Amino acid sequence: NVDTDGDGTPDCNDLCPTDPNKDVSTGVCGCGNPEDCGDLCPDSAKTEPGVCGCFGDDNLDTDGDGTPDCVDTCPNDPLKVGAGVCGCGVADVDTDADGVANCNDNCENDVHKTEPGLCGCGALDVDSDSDGALDCNDACP
């Protein structure tokens, strides 16, 4: 009785006579293939990559916002999954709707200004009567 692969099963009864890891069964993956052929992550505990790949923990969500930490660039901020304009931990709010987020707006309640200028927030830096004095400092604007 010839046993080409040396697995202890004679070739006449061995469904994989050249595969020492299989004898009376070809297995799921066939002769000559390891049984993890359907495993897309053979070197990890996962069999499929998932959202976080083969090695990331798809269930780890530190801030509880429903986005796994592996794809959440603000993993400790439950209100954000990306840094946005103001970064993690700071809301991208624009109180005065001037198109500049409060974190970058030094006059967050003045729609006309993002910096105080000479007259401060809430007052325009204009000289209505062209006398060289800004209206905010002019007794007779």
Side-chain angles (χ1 to χ4, degrees), residues 60-67 69 72 74-81:
L60 182 61
D61 180 14
T62 303
D63 57 16
D65 62 2
T67 302
D69 287 357
D72 188 342
C74 292
N76 296 309
D77 183 344
L79 301 177
K80 286 181 155 184
V81 295

Side-chain angles (χ1 to χ4, degrees), residues 20-107:
N21 296 313
K22 297 179 184 170
D23 50 21
V24 294
S25 170
T26 59
V28 174
C29 301
C31 298
N33 296 309
E35 281 307 303
D36 65 356
C37 64
D39 185 350
L40 300 176
C41 297
D43 295 329
S44 80
K46 293 180 174 182
T47 57
E48 293 184 13
V51 174
C52 298
C54 288
F55 297 97
D57 184 348
D58 295 332
N59 296 315
L60 182 61
D61 180 14
T62 303
D63 57 16
D65 62 2
T67 302
D69 287 357
C70 67
V71 293
D72 188 342
T73 57
C74 292
N76 296 309
D77 183 344
L79 301 177
K80 286 181 155 184
V81 295
V85 174
C86 297
C88 300
V90 179
D92 293 334
V93 175
D94 179 10
T95 304
D96 57 14
D98 64 358
V100 178
N102 289 357
C103 64
N104 294 322
D105 191 340
N106 288 321
C107 291

